[in-house]
Amino acid sequence: MAKAKVIVVTSGKGGVGKTTSTAAIGAELARRGHKTVVIDFDIGLRNLDLIMGCERRVIYDFINVINDEATLSQALIKDKREPNLYILPASQTRNKDALHQEGVGKIIELLKNDFKFILCDSPAGIERGALMALYFAEEAIIVTNPEVSSVRDSDRIIGVLNSDSKIAKEGGEVKKHLLITRFSPARAKRGEMLSLEDIQEILAVDLLGVIPESQAVLSASNQGIPITLDADSDAKFAYRAAVSRLLGEAEVAQPAAKGWSFLRLFKGETV
């Protein structure tokens, strides 16, 4: 098996679609044949299992494994739709102080033996759960909305990755990708939200993908289905295109949506 890759999905501001994006990207990687595990670092809240539709199957969680109250195999939940997809849920009854570097590091090393991709769904901001996820990141997907406050907070997260991640402390740099969610070219043109160029200029991070405003995302989340496994929609095609870019594959033009082209967006153009 090729070397495992640890990718943190993070944001400075809450409510930008980070957990939805983790589920979508994880499911798409698995659909393409890559054995993938998604880890929920949001101790005390736990939403990733809801988005992935496995909340009733949670018996043991991340903290149980850290505290040797359960084995990793007992806590991992295998997705019923994609055989290559697994989730390690967070605890709803513990607080974030239960996370510590030694325990988290041990679990990630164990997961590297069996998985190609380890996606860490980080809580928003820079509290303990987020800092723990950011510390172990080898790559980072920074999720932001086209709003000034969201972009500003994402810039702070980039600073944390550049200074407090394990790779940074060892003299390296975490590879970063920018995922812009809830984007509307019409609203950006009217000045109601930041343009793609504005966001990229502020953050100076390579663009991974642009997810359009779409009711399909909310609908899929409410049904516990990652959007990339749901019925065809603008958002589904956008997430799939983002995963193609994450894997370094040739970009393929997707169906135009509401007067804009995903392929042109990836090339930094607007319509």
Side-chain angles (χ1 to χ4, degrees):
M1 179 184 289
K3 184 179 182 294
K5 188 173 291 186
V6 181
I7 303 175
V8 65
V9 183
T10 182
S11 67
K13 184 181 178 183
V16 300
K18 175 183 49 55
T19 297
T20 298
S21 297
T22 302
I25 292 167
E28 179 63 11
L29 288 169
R31 190 187 71 86
R32 297 190 187 200
H34 303 289
K35 195 172 182 183
T36 301
V37 59
V38 291
I39 308 175
D40 192 344
F41 274 78
D42 204 353
I43 308 302
L45 292 178
R46 198 176 84 191
N47 288 317
L48 186 58
D49 57 310
L50 286 170
I51 300 295
M52 298 188 70
C54 63
E55 68 277 7
R56 295 182 181 179
R57 299 170 61 199
V58 177
I59 299 173
Y60 297 106
D61 57 52
F62 195 5
I63 302 303
N64 290 139
V65 182
I66 287 178
N67 291 341
D68 292 322
E69 297 161 351
T71 64
L72 187 55
S73 60
Q74 285 178 309
L76 284 171
I77 300 171
K78 186 175 183 178
D79 189 83
K80 291 182 176 180
R81 297 153 298 210
E82 288 296 333
N84 287 311
L85 181 60
Y86 292 75
I87 177 174
L88 181 57
S91 170
Q92 281 187 309
T93 59
R94 313 290 180 94
N95 62 43
K96 294 176 174 63
D97 291 336
L99 288 173
H100 52 84
Q101 268 187 21
E102 182 182 358
V104 174
K106 180 181 177 181
I107 290 175
I108 288 178
E109 288 305 312
L110 287 172
L111 291 169
K112 284 182 177 181
N113 294 326
D114 293 320
F115 292 92
K116 175 67 183 297
F117 288 99
I118 300 167
L119 264 60
C120 303
D121 181 26
S122 166
I126 51 173
E127 47 78 33
R128 186 175 182 83
L131 291 174
M132 201 64 61
L134 294 170
Y135 178 79
F136 288 99
E138 296 169 356
E139 294 192 23
I141 297 172
I142 298 154
V143 183
T144 188
N145 288 161
E147 303 167 0
V148 172
S149 60
S150 180
V151 174
R152 180 191 62 188
D153 290 348
S154 292
D155 200 30
R156 176 69 194 279
I157 293 297
I158 292 169
V160 173
L161 286 164
N162 288 340
S163 59
D164 294 335
S165 63
K166 185 173 185 288
I167 285 180
K169 290 178 182 295
E170 294 171 350
E173 184 174 350
V174 174
K175 185 176 181 179
K176 304 172 197 71
H177 312 273
L178 177 62
L179 185 68
I180 301 171
T181 55
R182 298 175 187 162
F183 183 77
S184 165
R187 292 182 61 198
K189 190 173 183 178
R190 293 195 297 267
E192 296 173 6
M193 59 173 58
L194 295 174
S195 69
L196 299 179
E197 292 79 8
D198 289 338
I199 298 168
Q200 288 179 275
E201 183 176 348
I202 294 167
L203 298 179
V205 173
D206 289 339
L207 185 64
L208 180 70
V210 181
I211 312 302
E213 287 185 313
S214 174
Q215 183 62 33
V217 175
L218 179 59
S219 176
S221 296
N222 286 339
Q223 296 177 69
I225 305 172
I227 187 69
T228 43
L229 302 182
D230 200 18
D232 287 352
S233 65
D234 299 342
K236 174 181 177 176
F237 290 127
Y239 273 115
R240 286 191 171 184
V243 171
S244 290
R245 191 176 179 94
L246 182 68
L247 293 172
E249 298 172 356
E251 294 164 16
V252 179
Q254 301 292 348
K258 298 176 184 176
W260 59 315
S261 160
F262 290 122
L263 183 62
R264 292 182 65 188
L265 280 169
F266 283 137
K267 291 180 178 178
E269 304 171 7
T270 54
V271 290

